[in-house]
Amino acid sequence: MSYKHTKIWTVDKNIEREECSTSIEEAALWIKGGELVAFPTETVYGLGANALSQEAVAKIFLAKGRPSDNPLIVHISRLEQLEGLVIDVSEDARKLMDAFWPGALTLILSASDQVATNVTAGLSTVAVRMPSHPVALTLLDACGVPVAAPSANLSGKPSPTTATHVQRDLDKRIAGIVDGGPTGIGVESTVLDLSLPEPVLYRPGGVTREEIEAIVGPISVDPALTDTDSSPRSPGMKYTHYAPKGTLTLVRETKKIRELVEADRRSGLRVGVLATRGERAVYEADVVVYGKDSRHVAHSLYDSLRRFDDAEVDVIYAETLPEEGIGMAVMNRLRKAAGGRIL
Ligand code: AMP
Ligand code: MG
């Protein structure tokens, strides 16, 4: 699958939902017609296809090189669209939708048989989310159909948080990109399974565990999130993600990072450091990215990983951060990027 050009529509990130622009209308027509169009959400850029068309959805797997057993999240802009997608909306589901939709929470619910089987990878459940980004909502309204959209990167690469990231990975592999500027949160949505007797967190993300528990009480967490020996309940979590080219190691102590940086540079390696606690420690590495708090680290995480790749560093050291709030999602992504290496 290859296109002569990938069309870019530059749109205002604060677009009024009622005032659909001609760019958005064209992008929506392309999606409805079975083409792939990337668009910004508040988490990361998504790669959209008409979720009711098996053929359109198949193009997502091809363009990304995504394993076919990894199901997709269906994006909607109105609650009425749940009808036809899911068969039962429990009380917990209603409460969570009230509290967090539109927003960065994906709910796994029992699927209706109208959902294309390649969207759910043949599972009896479907993942659904209503994003809050004004461009995403306006585009979804204009599409009128539910839109399946995984992150708009090549499988295995860090998720895209700018249109340039999408272009780098998918130029000429997809029909178009709606450029609404950099995304806000910077890590993917939280994935919560509500199809079981009790809610289970599969992937920490933009909506925090604490926020969810404030609405539905204590939830359990897929053991695979912390124990690398157990297999994840969510198919996508078993794949190596976000891996930068340089070898990434998570390091708890600032002093240890300083020593490692010094030793590696002496032996001629190019070194990158991802500092998550602001500029409290100064590192003499080739590339240093400072994040001032967990939210800021989340916002620029994938851009930082791509910057290390661009600078062709051989090794990367990342400071750890507390696993609370958005820190849980950041540490989850960093642990995966580090392949479990932690000192
Ligand atoms: P992505 O859209 O690339 O951020 O990935 C979506 C995530 O949601 C992946 O980890 C999927 O495996 C997960 N997911 C989607 N649908 C389901 C489902 N029906 N059951 C469990 N996990 C799902
Ligand atoms: Mg992804």
Side-chain angles (χ1 to χ4, degrees):
M1 202 171 43
S2 138
Y3 295 82
K4 252 193 162 147
H5 305 282
T6 293
K7 178 153 186 171
I8 313 273
W9 297 276
T10 304
V11 303
D12 176 2
K13 69 176 194 307
N14 298 314
I15 189 168
E16 288 290 335
R17 197 167 166 181
E18 300 74 35
E19 291 170 21
C20 185
S21 66
T22 48
S23 302
I24 295 224
E25 249 157 36
E26 187 177 32
L29 267 181
W30 287 21
I31 291 179
K32 269 193 287 187
E35 293 294 348
L36 302 185
V37 173
F39 61 96
T41 79
E42 71 279 23
T43 58
V44 302
Y45 270 73
L47 179 60
N50 182 344
L52 304 179
S53 160
Q54 184 103 13
E55 267 168 60
V57 169
K59 292 182 186 172
I60 289 182
F61 290 91
L62 262 179
K64 283 181 55 91
R66 183 174 174 107
S68 60
D69 70 346
N70 190 2
L72 305 175
I73 297 172
V74 177
H75 292 68
I76 58 172
S77 60
R78 299 185 185 277
L79 286 176
E80 302 89 88
Q81 291 177 296
L82 283 173
E83 212 176 305
L85 284 179
V86 305
I87 45 183
D88 181 37
V89 179
S90 64
E91 205 187 313
D92 275 354
R94 282 277 167 228
K95 283 195 211 155
L96 290 166
M97 288 170 190
D98 269 357
F100 302 113
W101 281 10
L105 177 66
T106 295
L107 299 176
I108 297 186
L109 302 163
S110 300
S112 114
D113 53 17
Q114 288 175 46
V115 184
T117 52
N118 53 356
V119 168
T120 61
L123 298 172
S124 61
T125 53
V126 62
V128 192
R129 172 165 108 86
M130 187 187 292
S132 68
H133 195 298
V135 173
L137 283 173
T138 309
L139 178 68
L140 290 168
D141 273 351
C143 285
V145 292
V147 172
S151 49
N153 52 306
L154 286 173
S155 268
K157 290 282 199 104
S159 293
T161 52
T162 66
T164 309
H165 295 161
V166 180
Q167 208 177 5
R168 287 240 196 127
D169 277 14
L170 299 175
D171 193 35
K172 300 196 175 77
R173 298 173 74 90
I174 63 174
I177 303 170
V178 178
D179 181 354
T183 60
I185 297 172
V187 291
E188 299 84 346
S189 61
T190 305
V191 177
L192 186 72
D193 194 344
L194 292 181
S195 72
L196 306 165
E198 299 293 336
V200 184
L201 180 71
Y202 286 169
R203 176 174 79 181
V207 170
T208 67
R209 177 183 186 170
E210 295 86 340
E211 287 170 323
I212 294 171
E213 291 187 328
I215 305 294
V216 293
I219 57 169
S220 56
V221 174
D222 185 351
L225 285 181
T226 44
D227 168 15
T228 43
D229 289 337
S230 58
S231 62
R233 306 279 292 274
S234 174
M237 296 298 280
K238 72 173 179 271
Y239 295 105
T240 317
H241 278 64
Y242 329 110
K245 291 182 204 134
T247 308
L248 174 74
T249 306
L250 288 172
V251 187
R252 290 196 184 87
E253 284 175 45
T254 305
K255 190 168 145 260
K256 182 79 190 158
I257 299 184
R258 282 227 197 82
E259 288 165 13
L260 289 163
V261 170
E262 216 186 293
D264 284 347
R265 290 192 85 204
R266 248 186 279 124
S267 51
L269 295 174
R270 280 178 67 73
V271 185
V273 174
L274 178 71
T276 61
R277 299 187 284 265
E279 301 197 28
R280 257 165 278 171
V282 175
Y283 297 106
E284 289 182 13
D286 297 280
V287 185
V288 188
V289 186
Y290 293 100
K292 65 176 186 298
D293 54 36
S294 300
R295 291 235 154 246
H296 185 237
V297 174
H299 173 77
S300 50
L301 179 67
Y302 294 136
D303 187 62
S304 306
L305 294 180
R306 285 175 184 259
R307 275 171 64 185
F308 291 132
D309 276 358
D310 294 345
E312 299 188 332
V313 299
D314 305 294
V315 291
I316 304 158
Y317 298 109
E319 290 178 350
T320 54
L321 67 177
E323 302 215 27
E324 58 198 29
I326 194 79
M328 186 179 179
V330 175
M331 278 299 283
N332 169 262
R333 308 305 190 269
L334 280 176
R335 244 190 259 107
K336 279 170 161 283
R341 272 177 305 276
I342 181 155
L343 295 176

